[in-house]
Amino acid sequence: MKTFGNVVNVFRVLVKGHLSSGMTVLDATSGNGHDTLFLLDLVGENGFVYAFDYQSTAIEATATRCMHNGVLPTNLKLICDSHANLDQYIESETLDAAVFNLGYLPGGDKAITTKVESTAAAIEKALMALKSGGLLYILCYAGHPSGVEEYRYLQLKLSALPQRTFDVMTVDFINQAGKPPVMWVIEKK
Amino acid sequence: MKTFGNVVNVFRVLVKGHLSSGMTVLDATSGNGHDTLFLLDLVGENGFVYAFDYQSTAIEATATRCMHNGVLPTNLKLICDSHANLDQYIESETLDAAVFNLGYLPGGDKAITTKVESTAAAIEKALMALKSGGLLYILCYAGHPSGVEEYRYLQLKLSALPQRTFDVMTVDFINQAGKPPVMWVIEKK
């Protein structure tokens, strides 16, 4: 059992060190709902989770995973829409954390992936939606063509965020073959 | 109060997510003893901490910081020697974690810094001293000349570690002016 080994494990350790009961968070890419459930557990009954996916199969899978005795928790809002519209659902400066796990739905149609245009718009809006002290986590898979585009765009965009307003860090695995996923973590000051 | 913001904070969150009571760890650069005390608290009474520094003032500062009612804990071994000699004190495959916080002693003589030759030898030996599943954390300050040398050497060396034996990750702050410190985390398989 590895402690780290990939950015998903590092993400989980960092988020556990940061989130606590009562916080409000966004899962911008709910997929099969693994992260959504993980976030729900961390923020507890007094917290709140928004979960977006534009594929209804993903929203259904997330609902199934997060149900408890057949009932969806009242502190989870599932939204079947593009995360590029998140400002229609979430007010500015209200989130303690936001998570983007980019790419395609595991087990789904690999031709349907997040795209750089909507990812860019959604991340811009997620930064607005963060409170001061809030954190944005972005996991990016540069092993497929639209992932490469997202990686290039985000590396350029995020490294240019003003230091007076944000701290931007990257987590990279540097001795692995192929193109292992990378993570950015952006903290709003 | 920042959650991350620099690699020292990230180091602390990652280490807390990994270390537990009863573990054996090495602080290869005890300095003023802050990390030594942090590690002692995490591994508890049933754990063990080796702390190296080749400056006696650092060892004294560490002793003072770690004393409890004027007595040094019996599960702390302070060693005033170069960490390049760590194999004389620590057996192979016995450590759950090792920490190198490179550079000069805060508040001390800035001309006295860790040097690439001894750092290289010590890190080679620390990798041997890790158990399977053990983690090596290296914090490097590339803002001073010998730090630049260490950074270049380590980035090359660590990215070439075989993937079958180690996972190597970096944590970098990418939107900060100057040369913010970087961290590598190496997990032994």
Side-chain angles (χ1 to χ4, degrees):
Chain A
M1 176 62 188
K2 288 186 183 184
T3 301
F4 303 121
N6 61 58
V7 291
V8 176
N9 290 336
V10 180
F11 159 72
R12 294 195 157 218
V13 172
L14 293 179
V15 165
K16 275 188 196 169
H18 154 226
L19 288 186
S20 58
S21 174
M23 288 184 163
T24 300
V25 304
L26 160 65
D27 183 352
T29 50
S30 79
N32 288 318
H34 293 279
D35 288 343
T36 313
L37 183 59
F38 173 69
L39 295 169
L40 262 176
D41 285 344
L42 287 175
V43 301
E45 288 179 10
N46 298 320
F48 198 87
V49 177
Y50 297 92
F52 276 79
D53 211 294
Y54 66 109
Q55 292 189 64
S56 57
T57 48
I59 291 293
E60 284 158 23
T62 301
T64 304
R65 192 173 305 280
C66 296
M67 274 179 188
H68 192 67
N69 296 329
V71 181
L72 267 181
T74 54
N75 62 338
L76 168 63
K77 188 174 172 74
L78 294 174
I79 302 158
C80 191
D81 192 354
S82 167
H83 47 214
N85 298 326
L86 69 89
D87 56 328
Q88 296 176 19
Y89 304 87
I90 304 172
E91 293 196 23
S92 288
E93 312 264 334
T94 57
L95 294 179
D96 295 288
V99 178
F100 286 72
N101 200 335
L102 301 174
Y104 48 77
L105 179 66
D109 181 350
K110 292 187 181 179
I112 306 174
T113 76
T114 54
K115 295 285 193 305
V116 66
E117 295 77 12
S118 52
T119 298
I123 283 172
E124 194 85 37
K125 290 176 178 178
L127 289 174
M128 302 270 288
L130 286 182
K131 289 179 188 170
S132 170
L135 284 149
L136 171 58
Y137 298 84
I138 307 170
L139 286 76
C140 178
Y141 301 78
H144 61 101
S146 69
V148 173
E149 274 188 71
E150 286 178 322
Y151 174 78
R152 287 185 186 147
Y153 172 83
L154 288 170
Q155 180 65 15
L156 209 64
K157 171 81 181 171
L158 299 175
S159 61
L161 284 177
Q163 188 177 353
R164 67 181 180 282
T165 323
F166 298 102
D167 285 315
V168 182
M169 76 179 201
T170 58
V171 178
D172 260 297
F173 281 80
I174 60 171
N175 77 327
Q176 296 179 349
K179 288 179 178 159
V182 301
M183 176 166 63
W184 295 273
V185 184
I186 301 108
E187 184 163 356
K188 191 171 187 174
K189 293 187 180 178
Chain B
M1 174 63 186
K2 288 187 184 184
T3 301
F4 303 122
N6 61 56
V7 290
V8 176
N9 290 337
V10 180
F11 159 72
R12 293 195 159 219
V13 172
L14 293 179
V15 165
K16 275 187 196 167
H18 154 226
L19 289 185
S20 57
S21 173
M23 287 184 164
T24 300
V25 304
L26 160 66
D27 183 351
T29 50
S30 80
N32 288 321
H34 292 279
D35 287 342
T36 313
L37 182 59
F38 173 68
L39 296 169
L40 263 175
D41 285 344
L42 287 175
V43 300
E45 288 181 10
N46 298 320
F48 198 88
V49 178
Y50 297 92
F52 276 78
D53 212 293
Y54 66 110
Q55 292 189 64
S56 57
T57 47
I59 292 292
E60 284 157 21
T62 301
T64 305
R65 190 172 306 280
C66 296
M67 274 179 188
H68 193 68
N69 295 328
V71 181
L72 267 179
T74 55
N75 62 338
L76 168 63
K77 189 174 172 74
L78 294 173
I79 301 160
C80 192
D81 193 354
S82 167
H83 48 213
N85 297 325
L86 69 89
D87 56 328
Q88 296 174 18
Y89 304 87
I90 303 172
E91 293 196 24
S92 288
E93 312 266 334
T94 57
L95 294 179
D96 293 290
V99 178
F100 285 72
N101 201 333
L102 301 175
Y104 48 78
L105 179 66
D109 181 350
K110 292 188 182 179
I112 306 176
T113 76
T114 53
K115 296 286 192 305
V116 67
E117 295 78 10
S118 53
T119 298
I123 282 171
E124 193 84 38
K125 290 176 177 177
L127 289 173
M128 302 271 287
L130 287 182
K131 289 179 189 171
S132 170
L135 285 150
L136 171 57
Y137 298 84
I138 306 170
L139 286 77
C140 179
Y141 302 77
H144 61 101
S146 69
V148 174
E149 274 189 71
E150 286 179 322
Y151 173 78
R152 287 185 185 149
Y153 173 84
L154 288 170
Q155 180 66 14
L156 210 63
K157 170 82 182 173
L158 298 175
S159 61
L161 283 177
Q163 188 179 353
R164 66 181 180 282
T165 324
F166 298 102
D167 285 315
V168 182
M169 74 179 204
T170 59
V171 178
D172 261 296
F173 280 81
I174 60 171
N175 77 327
Q176 296 179 348
K179 288 179 178 161
V182 300
M183 176 165 63
W184 295 273
V185 183
I186 300 109
E187 184 163 355
K188 192 171 187 174
K189 292 188 179 176

